[in-house]
Amino acid sequence: MKFSDYYCYPAIVTFYDDGGTETYFPDLDVYTCNDDDSNLVGYAKELLYLTMNGLEEDGEEIPVPTPLNELELEENEKSILVEVFMPPFRLRNKNKSVKKTLSIPAWINEMAMEYDINFSQVLQDGLKKELNIK
């Protein structure tokens, strides 16, 4: 399934008397809270990245964004558009390390530890060789 490289969704920002804020994406039914509005857009973008990545990975349908003029707002709310460019985020997730559990004979483990062998690096090198990855 081909996904868009760019997403832009409306968010509703609620401003509270204590200075805190809540940013809600009505089309995605997700929100984030902040102590203040100093990095409101940054947190909203991160939430949108994570949400869209999750929908993509799960193969779920991507909702159509609601036009800003169709949002119903309360007196202490404002609407904003939050946009994200997905390729760098997808690449970052593909390059993240994953933990694998494996078994080796105890005597090999002891000998490798004596020589201060980096097990992860040896496994990566071996897998790259086996898969013909340069």
Side-chain angles (χ1 to χ4, degrees):
M1 181 181 292
K2 174 74 173 136
F3 294 105
S4 178
D5 284 343
Y6 172 82
Y7 294 110
C8 185
Y9 278 85
I12 298 172
V13 181
T14 305
F15 296 89
Y16 295 105
D17 292 337
D18 66 358
T21 62
E22 176 182 281
T23 305
Y24 175 65
F25 289 90
D27 298 309
L28 305 168
D29 197 29
V30 295
Y31 66 92
T32 183
C33 298
N34 304 299
D35 292 334
D36 56 42
D37 63 359
S38 63
N39 195 17
L40 183 144
V41 174
Y43 289 125
K45 282 186 172 209
E46 182 178 17
L47 177 61
L48 186 55
Y49 275 124
L50 293 169
T51 302
M52 301 314 289
N53 189 69
L55 291 173
E56 290 177 358
E57 284 184 350
D58 293 344
E60 294 187 32
E61 187 174 327
I62 304 298
V64 175
T66 300
L68 276 177
N69 64 347
E70 292 182 16
L71 295 177
E72 294 183 22
L73 303 174
E74 300 293 324
E75 193 171 306
N76 63 332
E77 295 177 333
K78 300 288 182 192
S79 61
I80 61 172
L81 283 174
V82 180
E83 58 186 8
V84 292
F85 184 61
M86 296 298 290
F89 186 80
R90 289 182 189 126
L91 182 61
R92 184 176 75 195
N93 281 347
K94 282 184 181 177
N95 288 330
K96 71 179 179 182
S97 295
V98 294
K99 187 170 180 75
K100 291 293 188 189
T101 303
L102 56 99
S103 299
I104 60 173
W107 66 270
I108 291 178
N109 182 59
E110 289 175 22
M111 185 178 267
M113 289 179 70
E114 284 178 24
Y115 285 90
D116 201 25
I117 300 292
N118 181 325
F119 289 86
S120 294
Q121 190 62 55
V122 170
L123 179 58
Q124 287 178 50
D125 292 345
L127 287 170
K128 285 178 183 177
K129 182 178 177 185
E130 190 69 26
L131 296 169
N132 294 318
I133 299 172
K134 305 240 184 227

